[in-house]
Amino acid sequence: MQKFDYDVAVLGGGSAGYAAARTAAAAGLKTVVIEGGHEVGGLCILRGCMPTKALLYAAEVKHLAEHAETWGVRAGKVDFDFTKVMARKNAQIKDFAGFRAQQLAGGKFKFIRANARFVDAHTVELTPERRHSRKIATLAAKYFVIATGSSVAPSPLPALDKAGFITSDDAVALKKLPRSLIILGGGAIACEFAQFFTRFGVKVTLIQRSKHILKEFDSDAGGTIETVFRREAVQVFTGTKLLDAKRHGKSKIVIFEQNGRRISVSADEILFALGRVPNTASLNLDAAGVTTENGRIVTNNKMQTNRPHIFAAGDCTGPHEIVHIAIQQGETAVHNLIKPESPRRMDYRLLISVVFTEPQVAFVGLTEKEAKARGIKFIAASYPFNDHGKSLIMEAKDGFVKLLANPKSGEILGGACVGPLGGELVHEIVAAMAGRMTVQELAVMPHYHPTLAEIWSYPAEELAAQIF
Ligand SMILES: Cc1cc2nc3c(=O)[nH]c(=O)nc-3n(C[C@H](O)[C@H](O)[C@H](O)COP(=O)(O)OP(=O)(O)OC[C@H]3O[C@@H](n4cnc5c(N)ncnc54)[C@H](O)[C@@H]3O)c2cc1C
């Protein structure tokens, strides 16, 4: 019988890893977390959700101040100090990261600063994170949870590497704003940065390969954001093919094709936002016999890999790069290694996605696109924010809400909200779908007046009238 140093070794101390470790320790398992980053905190806190939302909120405050005249309020000339914008964000991130570091080093489990690499199916070799850890050669565990996250994808064009670009990691740490910026990509990260930079006076050009930006959403969502972006002076190119990139003096140039035309744009800087890849290359997963697909660790819905004692959670396995899912996967993995006889399975019926632009873009459950692709029958109804009392008061007229329902039973299958506080408002439909509510029930549920939330009752009523 092999002797193990730990019951559970968690590789990575981000959102998924911390969730796995606290669950394992709470169940009385001897647990170790191995974290290889120079900083402790994980992507969400250090370079992802939190810094981007802190910066976007600053941009929203500035935008509101600039438009205060709408409500008869004179704010005067609105100015800003970018150093202070970043300083507030930095102070908040320092607090969040400090709290996470305390949780990790709080003594409930062993916390080691080192990079882990498998040498066999039950053993990892540890390379100490230079400044903080003493040298530890190897460590054996009965179970593993791999939660090593993701990094910015490599660029698809060698010319782009040569021209040079910044990534989201660099963008949240800028000391000075560029005067102009080309953003490559049209997903959530690209769109959030496009609005942040444009609202702080940077001339932004966004180049997206697909027909619409935000392609995981229905095209009405992407279309709304494109309209808002163009109104805010973001130059948006969709349906493009990237051809080349180069430097010209201090400028960077991107060349692409759109509708058969060759177009060249130039800016001070390029922001590369074309996706992320799982952090698995350095793990030597072959030594553990763990299967990957395009670098992503393959897991079943119990978060278990092909090696029954090795689990994975978060961005390193996917299929969604979303923080609450990473946490849920970490907890699920540990539950299943403790209680294989009564397994918990990940279920993405209530998948939520939010983009924190203004208007915010959010959905839960099925989009029309996804329902059609899966051959699921549905009826759908939308209602616009430009015809709704509270949003008119707020002058927040862009966007709509949309509901999808089962045409026979009326059960709500999905909800989308592109509009003011869309990321908050969508949670009413999350709760409704969690309880398997129908549109008939939602239509008669009380909504206080005048609120943004009462807008859901209009599509609910329209759909309820179609169910017999
Ligand atoms: C700009 C941006 C904005 C985002 N905004 C949102 C948002 O608003 N909402 C949302 O839900 N999601 C958002 N995300 C996604 C979200 O941040 C991630 O899905 C989530 O943080 C992933 O958590 P994780 O635990 O899988 O990975 P991480 O938090 O990255 O943790 C992985 C850890 O593993 C460590 N590690 C890597 N390799 C090794 C090794 N070999 N040995 C030991 N340690 C190792 C790393 O140092 C890291 O600390 C955003 C992402 C980005 C980039």
Side-chain angles (χ1 to χ4, degrees), residues 11-24:
L11 313 187
S15 303
Y18 174 66
R22 69 162 156 65
T23 312

Side-chain angles (χ1 to χ4, degrees), residues 8-42:
V8 185
V10 179
L11 313 187
S15 303
Y18 174 66
R22 69 162 156 65
T23 312
L29 298 179
K30 189 177 176 199
T31 304
V32 58
V33 175
I34 301 154
E35 168 53 54
H38 292 312
E39 293 169 281
V40 175

Side-chain angles (χ1 to χ4, degrees), residues 43-57:
L43 178 64
C44 171
I45 293 175
L46 297 171
R47 290 176 294 277
C49 331
M50 301 311 275
T52 49
K53 271 77 244 182
L55 294 177
L56 279 162
Y57 194 73

Side-chain angles (χ1 to χ4, degrees), residues 23 31 63 65 67 89 103-104 106 224 276 296 381 466 468:
T23 312
T31 304
H63 185 79
H67 293 82
K89 182 271 298 176
Q103 289 175 314
L104 285 164
T224 304
R276 300 181 65 83
R296 200 169 284 278
Q466 298 172 41
F468 302 102

Side-chain angles (χ1 to χ4, degrees), residues 53-66 85 192 195-200 358:
K53 271 77 244 182
L55 294 177
L56 279 162
Y57 194 73
E60 192 175 332
V61 170
K62 176 173 177 285
H63 185 79
L64 260 183
E66 280 163 351
V85 171
E192 290 181 0
Q195 197 167 47
F196 165 72
F197 281 113
T198 201
R199 286 187 166 187
F200 275 102
E358 197 194 356

Side-chain angles (χ1 to χ4, degrees), residues 196-240:
F196 165 72
F197 281 113
T198 201
R199 286 187 166 187
F200 275 102
V202 177
K203 184 172 173 291
V204 175
T205 305
L206 186 143
I207 303 172
Q208 157 79 332
R209 194 170 52 177
S210 321
K211 233 170 102 194
H212 280 292
I213 59 173
L214 298 176
K215 66 180 162 64
E216 68 170 305
F217 292 82
D218 287 332
S219 56
D220 47 10
T224 304
I225 299 303
E226 283 167 28
T227 305
V228 172
F229 275 10
R230 289 191 172 114
R231 193 171 66 218
E232 293 192 8
V234 178
Q235 205 180 8
V236 181
F237 292 97
T238 55
T240 67

Side-chain angles (χ1 to χ4, degrees), residues 10-19 33-53 56 100 104 112-118 125-127 146-152 167-169 172 188-190 192-193 276 279-284 313-318 320-327 329 352-356:
V10 179
L11 313 187
S15 303
Y18 174 66
V33 175
I34 301 154
E35 168 53 54
H38 292 312
E39 293 169 281
V40 175
L43 178 64
C44 171
I45 293 175
L46 297 171
R47 290 176 294 277
C49 331
M50 301 311 275
T52 49
K53 271 77 244 182
L56 279 162
R100 172 53 53 83
L104 285 164
I112 298 175
R113 304 283 302 273
N115 267 292
R117 184 176 182 277
F118 282 95
E125 183 181 79
L126 307 177
T127 308
I146 306 173
T148 46
S150 61
S151 344
V152 174
T167 67
S168 60
D169 293 355
V172 294
I189 294 174
E192 290 181 0
F193 277 118
R276 300 181 65 83
N279 278 335
T280 53
S282 67
L283 286 169
N284 196 24
D315 286 7
C316 67
T317 178
H320 306 288
E321 289 166 4
I322 294 177
V323 85
H324 75 272
I325 289 179
I327 293 168
Q329 289 178 338
I352 313 170
S353 187
V354 179
V355 185
F356 291 84

